Amino acid sequence: MVSPAPTTANGHPPASKPLLEIRGLKMHFPVKGGVLMRAQKQCKAVDGVDLHVNEGETLGLVGESGCGKSTLGKCVVRLNKITGGQVTFDGTDITQLGRSALKPYRKDIQMIFQDPAESLNPRHTIGNLLAEPFIIHGLLSAKERDIKVAELLEKVGLQASAADRFPFEFSGGQRQRIGIARAIALNPRLIVCDEPVSALDVSVQSQILNLLVDLQREMRLSYIFIAHNLAVVKHISDRIAVMYLGKIVELAPADELFANPLHAYTKALISAIPEPVPGGGRAQRILLQGDVPSPIDPPEGCAFAYRSWLPTSDDQKRQPGTFREVTPGHWVELHPGTVEDYEKYL
Amino acid sequence: MSASDQPILRVRNLATAFDTDGGRVTAVDGVSFDVPRGKTLGIVGESGCGKSVTAMSIMRLLPRPSGVILGGEVLLDGTDLLQLSLDEMRKVRGKRVSMIFQEPMTALNPVHRIGRQLSEVFLLHEKISEKEAWNRSIEMLAKVGIPAPEIRVGEFPHQLSGGMRQRVVIAMALALKPSLVIADEPTTALDVTIQAQILELMKELQAEMGMSIVLITHDLGVIAEMCDEVVVMYAGRVAERGSADVIFNNPRHLYTRGLLDSIPRLGGKRKATLQTIPGMVPGLAEMPVGARFAPRSPHPKAPAYIASPAYQNKRPELLQIAPNHWVEDEEVVRVIKQEVSQ
Ligand SMILES: Nc1ncnc2c1ncn2[C@@H]1O[C@H](COP(=O)(O)OP(=O)(O)OP(=O)(O)O)[C@@H](O)[C@H]1O
Ligand SMILES: Nc1ncnc2c1ncn2[C@@H]1O[C@H](COP(=O)(O)OP(=O)(O)OP(=O)(O)O)[C@@H](O)[C@H]1O
Ligand SMILES: [Mg+2]
Ligand SMILES: [Mg+2]
């Protein structure tokens, strides 16, 4: 009965259609330089990414600074005009849609930023900021909006009286709650959370993480959760994608990724987490050599092999790896410089 | 006790305030701790609790004229730094105690070559030629693990990555082999893999050069990894201090306990509700004299304490509960005993 399921490179064929599907996504920025300040080079911030997000699921996205996490997130919410590939939301390819056709999807896909101050106009009251999405989409009467604003504030754990105050009157954690209230105002289905707790103190961080988990259960939200704190990402994610220089190098269910990391970069990332246990619970720290490479003129072939401790010849480095599903749901870039005994998985 | 058993730094009742439009506010309110020789002491606490102001007070680098040291002692090997003239302090800085900042660019001058900036450190304190200083700079860069130091020495800060810049800042801080280094969030701006490199480097250099370190961070993981001693600050005061072992394994202040409980652990259950500390840190202008954590304390007697005059008037001392373990002496902010034994 079942027709051959479409095999995507991002995971096993889903039982039901994923809410979001990203295929071959590329985001290349022109880089100006040289004497004439002409765009001469490309910054390949996202360079061929396949991923999907199921309904009600959190997909964690980790990787070093500059590897393209935020750019990927912005492509999903269409803040970036993509260079290539496809973003399909609920069965519709939204990459080709024009302004008006896109409008309903703008409602469905929201973004939360690291620093909510950036997205909250300091001259507007919280009430106005939260009413704005309804006004933009021509929803609700003024009176209904007031009621909705009070509801939203309550939902994120703030007093209704906050509506009359301005963003600067709130602490960082409270401002992040306001950012979340704004993101959930129009009942979205997917929220891209870009480092939503990175700027917060640990005690406030746990409040915001609890809130995100509660809202997800209540509203059946899906999240793409970007962060550099692996313990935080593991806490909130169902699956985790590890990104390196514009590409996904490993993808697995959260517990599986930590129990059985295969990519040398994932292993290094996990071993670099300072655990709050004196004396350390860590078996062996893996120190990577050198710095994160630049997405402008990325090294040819397998980018990570140049930083890996696994021995490879120059010739091997110049060959790209292949992204394979090695156990159900566990995908990894296979290359002599990325996975020990990689042949065993081919 | 021989001299080498004496702490390298003793901070006693340090109090620092700022003059603002709204009047004088006290940011550090009677902080005391000792840094053991050759060891690392961590200072941890929420944003705004006074970690950086403590460091800036020790270094005498407070913004002038708004920052004022109200009192206390900062004894570096017996010398009270707070009593030194600005000129004398300038000689101490770099030579005997130096500082590493969070953002390397604040410590580096963007228009000067790395070598010139490092050389200046040597030239300012030692009678050597420029050529010699340049060579010493190359040596120092090699020491902090910068590849091709003889090339890097001639480059400008923007030509280096964030991790490399932080290495340069460390090279500058350690150039004159100071006995104490104060590092204020030295790895917060870096990626975890680069952070691991820098922390490892600091440990290696400490083993080699024997300097003592004060490490300021809000990351309990970094504290656990690096520190022998820990000071937990809350709202401008020390809530608890002791060996890393007691702070992590037997915390007695409810704030320390709350911090440790609220971090997600790698071994924890996914999406399980995390512990939180209810409420917020009071603003600087509305700080009570009494135990400042009390309004957030779940202790059954906390409401009665807040209503009592003690909360307004009586400052809690630090109570020594073990040879190397001190906690704020106020029942309602301490871990309730029975809870611990469970
Ligand atoms: N609008 C833009 N124009 C040009 N280059 C850009 C633009 N946005 C991002 N980039 C570049 O794309 C690369 C990826 O950036 P991105 O912000 O996505 O990284 P990130 O993984 O989110 O890093 P971080 O952890 O520091 O937030 C970087 O080299 C960045 O400089
Ligand atoms: N120049 C200044 N003028 C007025 N108040 C100041 C000044 N510098 C710091 N403060 C105040 O002193 C208090 C302590 O600040 P401090 O910078 O020491 O915090 P911190 O513990 O280092 O926090 P963080 O983790 O955010 O770096 C804060 O309430 C801060 O607002
Ligand atoms: Mg980013
Ligand atoms: Mg600080």
Side-chain angles (χ1 to χ4, degrees):
Chain A
M1 290 294 292
V2 186
S3 57
T7 30
T8 58
N10 57 354
H12 47 110
S16 58
K17 258 194 167 325
L19 182 65
L20 179 82
E21 236 182 319
I22 299 170
R23 284 204 202 181
L25 183 69
K26 286 189 181 169
M27 184 68 233
H28 295 179
F29 296 106
V31 182
K32 297 208 168 77
V35 221
L36 299 171
M37 291 306 282
R38 286 221 187 99
Q40 295 176 320
K41 292 179 176 167
Q42 299 283 311
C43 171
K44 300 181 176 176
V46 175
D47 198 23
V49 162
D50 298 314
L51 281 173
H52 74 259
V53 184
N54 295 318
E55 194 164 9
E57 180 191 46
T58 304
L59 176 73
L61 190 58
V62 299
E64 278 165 301
S65 185
C67 72
K69 305 180 295 293
S70 298
T71 304
L72 177 64
K74 286 179 186 163
C75 290
V76 170
V77 297
R78 289 285 311 261
L79 282 173
N80 280 336
K81 200 166 182 327
I82 68 172
T83 313
Q86 264 186 354
V87 178
T88 307
F89 185 81
D90 204 13
T92 309
D93 179 357
I94 57 168
T95 42
Q96 302 308 325
L97 298 182
R99 229 168 203 281
S100 59
L102 193 64
K103 217 170 173 186
Y105 296 98
R106 288 222 186 267
K107 210 169 103 219
D108 280 339
I109 312 174
Q110 295 286 331
M111 189 151 180
I112 303 171
F113 298 91
Q114 167 167 355
D115 187 0
E118 272 178 46
S119 56
L120 300 176
N121 186 329
R123 284 184 297 274
H124 286 199
T125 62
I126 304 307
N128 285 340
L129 287 166
L130 292 181
E132 197 176 82
F134 299 104
I135 297 169
I136 291 173
H137 287 268
L139 302 167
L140 309 181
S141 67
K143 191 147 185 230
E144 287 167 325
R145 285 198 297 265
D146 287 347
I147 297 168
K148 191 73 194 175
V149 166
E151 257 175 50
L152 282 169
L153 286 169
E154 192 193 351
K155 211 166 197 165
V156 297
L158 293 171
Q159 307 267 319
S161 61
D164 302 325
R165 294 162 62 194
F166 291 88
F168 70 86
E169 297 177 61
F170 293 88
S171 70
Q174 289 173 324
R175 279 203 294 266
Q176 195 54 286
R177 286 176 192 270
I178 296 163
I180 293 171
R182 213 173 121 98
I184 62 170
L186 299 172
N187 274 320
R189 299 174 65 192
L190 174 71
I191 303 181
V192 176
C193 308
D194 192 359
E195 310 260 11
V197 296
S198 304
L200 304 176
D201 279 313
V202 285
S203 64
V204 186
Q205 169 183 296
S206 59
Q207 294 172 10
I208 298 294
L209 290 173
N210 287 345
L211 174 64
L212 288 172
V213 170
D214 290 346
L215 290 173
Q216 175 166 57
R217 293 206 175 108
E218 203 180 305
M219 304 173 67
R220 220 178 144 59
L221 285 167
S222 304
Y223 295 133
I224 293 180
F225 191 95
I226 301 171
H228 59 261
N229 182 326
L230 286 179
V232 167
V233 173
K234 185 184 175 210
H235 175 78
I236 198 155
S237 303
D238 298 291
R239 286 182 305 136
I240 297 175
V242 181
M243 199 165 177
Y244 190 79
L245 208 63
K247 295 195 164 75
I248 304 299
V249 297
E250 189 159 9
L251 171 72
D255 293 320
E256 160 74 6
L257 188 84
F258 282 85
N260 191 22
L262 291 176
H263 200 287
Y265 178 61
T266 312
K267 289 184 182 181
L269 271 186
I270 292 175
S271 89
I273 306 171
E275 278 243 66
V277 181
R282 172 196 343 281
Q284 177 77 58
R285 164 157 293 169
I286 302 166
L287 286 181
L288 285 181
Q289 294 160 15
D291 294 308
V292 190
S294 160
I296 305 167
D297 287 330
E300 188 190 352
C302 172
F304 183 74
Y306 296 84
R307 259 178 110 193
S308 180
W309 64 92
L310 297 170
T312 46
S313 67
D314 289 350
D315 210 39
Q316 281 174 318
K317 287 189 182 75
R318 282 194 292 271
Q319 303 299 317
T322 47
F323 199 59
R324 286 274 178 92
E325 188 174 28
V326 293
T327 54
H330 192 155
W331 292 72
V332 66
E333 178 199 26
L334 290 174
H335 184 278
T338 63
V339 178
E340 248 174 300
D341 300 326
Y342 81 107
E343 282 128 332
K344 140 173 138 196
Y345 301 99
L346 279 172
Chain B
M1 232 197 236
S2 73
S4 62
D5 295 335
Q6 293 288 330
I8 177 90
L9 182 78
R10 284 166 177 269
V11 175
R12 287 289 171 273
N13 296 314
L14 178 68
T16 303
F18 291 99
D19 288 322
T20 67
D21 294 343
R24 181 167 278 195
V25 290
T26 306
V28 171
D29 189 26
V31 162
S32 301
F33 57 85
D34 291 344
V35 182
R37 202 171 292 271
K39 297 270 163 71
T40 301
L41 171 127
I43 304 181
V44 69
E46 269 164 292
S47 184
C49 72
K51 304 182 294 293
S52 296
V53 173
T54 300
M56 301 303 249
S57 305
I58 296 170
M59 295 297 289
R60 301 268 308 271
L61 287 173
L62 290 168
R64 264 172 291 164
S66 64
V68 196
I69 294 181
L70 301 176
E73 290 174 331
V74 173
L75 301 163
L76 180 68
D77 257 335
T79 314
D80 188 353
L81 299 186
L82 303 185
Q83 301 304 325
L84 298 184
S85 69
L86 289 180
D87 229 27
E88 289 168 319
M89 190 60 211
R90 214 165 287 137
K91 290 191 187 113
V92 168
R93 242 181 265 134
K95 182 102 186 138
R96 290 175 63 197
V97 48
S98 62
M99 186 142 179
I100 300 169
F101 295 91
Q102 168 170 349
E103 184 38 64
M105 281 318 269
T106 56
L108 296 173
N109 187 330
V111 302
H112 291 163
R113 292 178 201 282
I114 301 297
R116 162 144 181 219
Q117 306 193 43
L118 253 167
S119 292
E120 255 166 26
V121 178
F122 292 112
L123 292 169
L124 202 66
H125 292 270
E126 291 178 16
K127 287 193 176 59
I128 54 172
S129 70
E130 285 194 16
K131 177 92 184 74
E132 241 173 300
W134 190 265
N135 288 336
R136 295 262 300 269
S137 303
I138 297 175
E139 265 170 49
M140 231 23 242
L141 291 179
K143 193 170 211 142
V144 296
I146 291 189
E150 58 294 331
I151 296 170
R152 292 300 185 182
V153 75
E155 292 188 339
F156 294 92
H158 70 87
Q159 292 173 281
L160 273 54
S161 68
M164 292 245 256
R165 277 183 217 146
Q166 198 56 299
R167 283 175 192 263
V168 171
V169 171
I170 292 176
M172 281 170 71
L174 297 182
L176 303 169
K177 300 194 168 57
S179 37
L180 178 70
V181 175
I182 300 177
D184 191 355
E185 309 267 6
T187 58
T188 306
L190 305 173
D191 275 312
V192 279
T193 59
I194 308 297
Q195 164 170 288
Q197 291 174 358
I198 296 290
L199 295 180
E200 203 62 35
L201 172 70
M202 287 174 61
K203 278 193 220 166
E204 279 167 27
L205 293 171
Q206 184 176 43
E208 187 189 324
M209 302 170 63
M211 78 271 190
S212 315
I213 301 176
V214 173
L215 179 65
I216 296 173
T217 170
H218 60 266
D219 186 333
L220 286 158
V222 171
I223 292 274
E225 185 117 320
M226 298 290 289
C227 299
D228 305 288
E229 304 275 321
V230 183
V231 173
V232 181
M233 282 185 73
Y234 183 78
R237 292 184 183 162
V238 174
E240 181 167 15
R241 69 184 161 99
S243 66
D245 176 51
V246 294
I247 296 297
F248 282 91
N249 297 322
N250 189 19
R252 294 294 304 281
H253 198 289
L254 282 167
Y255 176 61
T256 315
R257 179 78 179 262
L259 281 183
L260 286 166
D261 285 346
S262 54
I263 28 181
R265 309 280 179 141
L266 278 183
K269 190 172 176 297
R270 286 190 302 108
K271 299 196 186 184
T273 305
L274 296 165
Q275 298 271 338
T276 56
I277 304 176
M280 282 188 340
V281 187
L284 282 188
E286 60 232 35
M287 288 292 183
V289 178
R292 292 173 172 176
F293 189 70
R296 303 174 78 180
S297 165
H299 197 288
K301 291 187 194 159
Y305 170 72
I306 294 165
S308 75
Y311 180 61
Q312 293 306 330
N313 310 318
K314 187 171 164 286
R315 184 198 166 95
E317 297 300 312
L318 278 188
L319 175 71
Q320 185 168 17
I321 55 171
N324 188 12
H325 194 180
W326 286 261
V327 62
E328 206 176 1
D329 188 11
E330 173 46 61
E331 188 188 3
V332 304
V333 295
R334 286 212 302 272
V335 174
I336 304 153
K337 255 285 165 61
Q338 302 87 289
E339 227 183 301
V340 179
S341 57
Q342 275 174 7

